């Protein structure tokens, strides 16, 4: 893995860079579409390729439950299994264990849980989640961390940070057994909304010297003000020469703010999830395709968008097929929203390079 | 409309032809994918274009209910609304009124029914369904007929034939007000499984001189033997110089049989419906993608298929995404099955031309 910051924007900490991984270059800041179980929800594969995404995210917990590591191992890893030629980042599954599974118990050595599908018992340890990600063949592996709910009191948040750091130390040692040219491992900064905890967690992770760092535990219900403060604080603590990844974020407005704090990577299910609910990103802000005003509207969803959907269909048609429940409507909506994200990231990146970032930042803050 | 039989196969009544309609040529025998509400279920548009279908079917009843004729009129017709450049055949909605709607009452002047969506009251007459299809801009319009259940006693079947013929006579007169170069109207032969009724209905419709004829009321529960007998009998009664359309049929085996009887056109939801249920057509017969035997199967679904899905994905992957409920699985399954139908029709047509039809007929009879 090689990361180069190629451009800096002077009014903020925004930066553009190139991250070289085993499956090609990634131009940052970057948005990673989420293929939880080895497929982007409601999006056929070729649409993803057409949009030229350089990296996608998949989920260790979900892939471990189904299809399971033996299937993935037999397939030769997830790239081969899902026929995706470019990069894959996998989160460790920690977040899903804490949010989805039943009877989750945090122990010193790891986290015990029951599958949300069949109730079977499982254990994730800092080492086992790396083993799973070795089988998956992730270009970027995430460490097991302890995710907590929001709000959480400081004592609970401190305990989670301590656990996260202890696990990170074990993982760091185990990571030495990996082919580090093929698989990067990122540490995750936790600490809820407590600046001192965030600082402590970040500095101790930096001591462990990971190839990259993520900011976890945000966009979980905190206020906008808290999000911005913790994003700025934490990003500012992380090494300048390594990629910074904001996990599970977010709206266009949140992304553009964290880019201003020097964050390089983002992932979120929001663009695909709201698409399936009929909510679409446009150059005029959010639009709900169910809107009765579109009944006879022959214009495209977004006249400034040149995606497949906007080049071909009217709002009236998109509204009709969504209302009657056609699956194609989910495909088109998802396609459009992901294209919007890609184009937005391209625009943000270009603005960092040519010095117009503040203008772009203002635009997305106002629209979303 | 212009129809030319270009080739005949000597061991049966199978024939190949070219049907010229307002939106291009159709090479028969042809299978028409079903876009009930202006979209093929689970298939994005470009996939349909890639597969090179020359005609699709849409549904007058469903489009009348939603989005309604005023939206379609405002859009400039269904071709424009759904952005489909090639031909569209619409069925009259009769079948749906009888099978879907509530409180359906057949009157002399038409059929009263309540919408299956909101219970609102509506009336279809032989003239009004043509008016709706005028707005839709169908290249081929179907007449209103009375569809009955199977089994039905001969008296009931005879009454339905009489009603169908009376409506056809009214429709024939009204059709004179249409631009016949742009919109063809097909009469529908009913008569259940009663040869005398089929004969009577066919001959009287032929007297009315329609541009083409359909065989309705089959594949509704009758035995395979009954299907073959009525298909052969009815097709044999219809004019040799006009296209013959078998409505709502069917399985590969049924299609190949009716091609042998001289039928030129087919439509059916089966390939797309079973696809969404995980059942796929292959050169080895039907395959259910859920099959546990595919858990680690790296081979394509059908090694003899060159569709997008078979060129890209393994059975193991297709099984996985279907099991976890990914929408992409529905898209891929649908894509494959429609591609299979297109390729099968190409193969049937080529075999009629080069004299190998009996071999192809045997193959599909044995496999499906």
């Amino acid at each position: 893995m090689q990361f180069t910051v190629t451009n800096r924007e002077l009014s903020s900490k925004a930066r553009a860079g190139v991250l070289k991984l085993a499956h090609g270059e990634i131009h940052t800041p970057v948005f990673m579409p989420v293929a939880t179980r080895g497929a982007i929800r409601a999006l056929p594969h070729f649409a993803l390729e057409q949009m030229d995404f350089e990296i996608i995210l998949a989920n260790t917990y979900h892939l471990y439950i189904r299809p399971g590591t033996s299937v993935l191992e037999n397939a030769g890893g997830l790239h081969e299994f899902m026929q995706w030629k470019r990069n894959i980042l996998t989160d460790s599954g920690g977040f899903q264990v804490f949010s989805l599974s039943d009877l989750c118990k945090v122990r010193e050595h790891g986290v015990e849980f029951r599958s949300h599908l069949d109730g079977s018992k499982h254990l994730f340890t800092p080492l086992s989640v790396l083993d799973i990600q070795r089988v998956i063949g992730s270009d970027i592996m995430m460490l097991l961390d302890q995710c907590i709910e929001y709000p959480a009191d400081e004592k609970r948040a401190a305990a989670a940070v301590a656990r996260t750091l202890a696990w990170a130390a074990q993982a760091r040692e185990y990571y030495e057994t990996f082919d580090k040219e093929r698989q990067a491992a990122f540490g995750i900064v936790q600490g809820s909304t407590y600046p001192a905890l965030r600082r402590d967690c970040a500095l101790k992770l930096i001591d462990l010297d990971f190839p990259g760092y993520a900011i976890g535990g945000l966009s979980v219900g905190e206020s906008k003000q808290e999000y911005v403060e913790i994003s700025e604080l934490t990003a500012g603590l992380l090494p300048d020469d390594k990629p910074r990844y904001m996990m599970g974020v977010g709206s266009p407005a949140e992304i553009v703010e964290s880019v201003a704090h020097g964050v390089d990577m983002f992932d979120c299910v929001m663009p695909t999830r709201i698409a399936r609910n009929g909510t679409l990103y446009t150059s005029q802000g959010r639009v709900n395709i169910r809107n009765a005003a579109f009944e006879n509207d022959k214009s495209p969803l977004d006249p400034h968008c040149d995606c497949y959907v906007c080049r071909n269909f009217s709002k009236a048609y998109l509204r009709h097929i969504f209302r009657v429940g056609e699956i194609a409507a989910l495909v088109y909506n998802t396609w459009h929203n992901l294209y919007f994200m890609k184009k937005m990231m391209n625009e943000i990146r270009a603005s960092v390079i040519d010095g117009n970032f503040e203008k772009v930042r203002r635009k997305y803050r106002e629209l979303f």
Side-chain angles (χ1 to χ4, degrees), chain A:
Chain A
M1 193 193 97
Q2 194 188 319
F3 180 61
T4 316
V5 174
T6 55
N7 302 78
R8 289 174 195 281
E9 197 274 337
L10 301 178
S11 70
S12 74
K13 296 210 172 136
R15 61 205 205 154
V18 177
L19 176 61
K20 284 188 189 165
L21 294 173
H23 289 86
E25 289 188 350
I26 296 160
H27 294 80
T28 63
V30 67
F31 177 80
M32 304 180 281
V34 180
T36 307
R37 302 172 293 193
I40 308 279
R41 211 72 64 89
L43 198 75
H45 205 77
F46 61 86
L48 194 66
E49 282 168 349
Q50 272 199 14
M51 283 188 272
D52 205 28
F53 282 104
E54 295 167 327
I55 180 168
I56 61 174
L57 179 143
N59 189 282
T60 297
Y61 169 83
H62 284 284
L63 291 171
Y64 165 80
I65 299 286
R66 272 193 186 168
T69 46
S70 80
V71 168
L72 289 167
E73 187 148 31
N74 180 274
L78 182 60
H79 291 83
E80 201 51 45
F81 187 58
M82 70 179 290
Q83 288 294 304
W84 171 251
K85 315 286 183 211
R86 295 187 172 182
N87 294 292
I88 298 174
L89 178 149
T90 39
D91 61 12
S92 69
F95 182 79
Q96 284 69 34
V97 166
F98 291 105
S99 60
L100 276 184
S101 71
D102 296 326
L103 297 172
C104 154
K105 279 181 198 159
V106 184
R107 311 286 191 194
E108 203 179 316
H109 60 288
V111 51
E112 291 169 14
F113 62 96
R114 288 183 181 274
S115 156
H116 70 291
L117 284 183
D118 62 10
S120 54
K121 271 182 87 166
H122 302 271
L123 170 72
F124 273 177
T125 72
L127 275 52
S128 78
V129 298
L130 289 182
D131 281 333
I132 301 168
Q133 292 175 93
R134 175 155 29 198
V135 170
I136 291 172
S138 322
D139 300 284
I140 298 177
M141 306 184 292
M142 300 304 298
L143 265 51
L144 187 66
D145 57 345
Q146 185 178 351
C147 307
I148 53 171
E149 66 293 341
Y150 174 89
D153 66 39
E154 193 161 358
K155 196 176 153 198
R156 178 162 163 76
V161 164
R163 179 79 68 209
T164 295
L165 287 169
W167 287 348
Q170 293 173 47
R172 183 63 190 86
E173 201 181 319
Y174 193 53
Y175 179 50
E176 287 302 318
T177 69
F178 281 68
D179 178 350
K180 290 191 271 186
E181 290 297 308
R182 296 197 58 80
Q183 299 194 280
F186 280 24
I188 304 171
V189 182
Q190 291 289 348
S192 189
T193 49
Y194 303 101
L197 291 179
R198 287 279 175 184
R199 185 179 310 271
D200 181 52
C201 191
L203 297 181
K204 286 182 176 148
L205 280 176
I206 294 166
D207 277 347
L208 290 171
D209 189 24
F210 287 99
Y213 298 92
I215 304 169
L218 282 184
S219 210
V220 291
E222 75 283 354
S223 72
K224 198 175 163 177
Q225 180 62 23
E226 284 173 314
Y227 172 81
V228 170
E229 278 175 23
I230 297 297
S231 165
E232 184 165 21
L233 167 80
T234 315
L237 293 165
L238 295 172
D240 184 68
D241 61 345
K242 293 190 175 171
R244 302 169 183 143
Y245 161 33
M246 178 66 79
M247 301 184 82
V249 171
S251 73
E254 286 168 328
I255 288 176
V256 83
E257 278 314 286
S258 288
V259 167
H261 306 148
V263 176
D264 308 297
M265 304 168 68
F266 301 88
D267 81 283
C268 196
V269 295
M270 194 191 292
T272 48
R273 181 174 289 162
I274 65 174
R276 297 196 303 279
N277 202 25
T279 301
L280 299 165
Y281 290 144
T282 77
S283 57
Q284 307 302 308
R286 287 179 177 221
V287 158
N288 193 306
I289 199 62
R290 292 167 181 273
N291 196 325
F294 300 150
E295 184 172 24
N296 281 303
D297 191 331
K298 292 196 232 184
S299 69
L301 177 62
D302 186 347
H304 300 292
C305 178
D306 59 349
C307 82
Y308 172 79
V309 181
C310 289
R311 278 187 288 107
N312 283 278
F313 304 114
S314 66
K315 287 207 264 303
Y317 180 69
L318 293 174
R319 174 177 184 267
H320 163 63
I321 59 172
F322 188 81
R323 282 181 82 218
V324 297
E326 288 292 345
I327 292 166
L330 308 182
V331 174
Y332 297 151
N333 290 355
T334 301
W335 195 331
H336 171 82
N337 271 4
L338 282 184
Y339 188 90
F340 179 92
M341 295 304 291
K342 180 74 171 87
K343 218 176 109 181
M344 180 185 84
M345 297 312 291
N346 290 354
E347 184 185 2
I348 290 172
R349 188 173 198 275
S351 78
V352 169
I353 293 170
D354 66 18
N356 283 316
F357 175 68
E358 277 306 321
K359 206 175 126 197
V360 171
R361 180 183 184 180
R362 210 160 40 241
K363 180 174 97 173
Y364 287 104
R365 267 160 69 161
E366 281 163 16
L367 275 174
F368 294 95

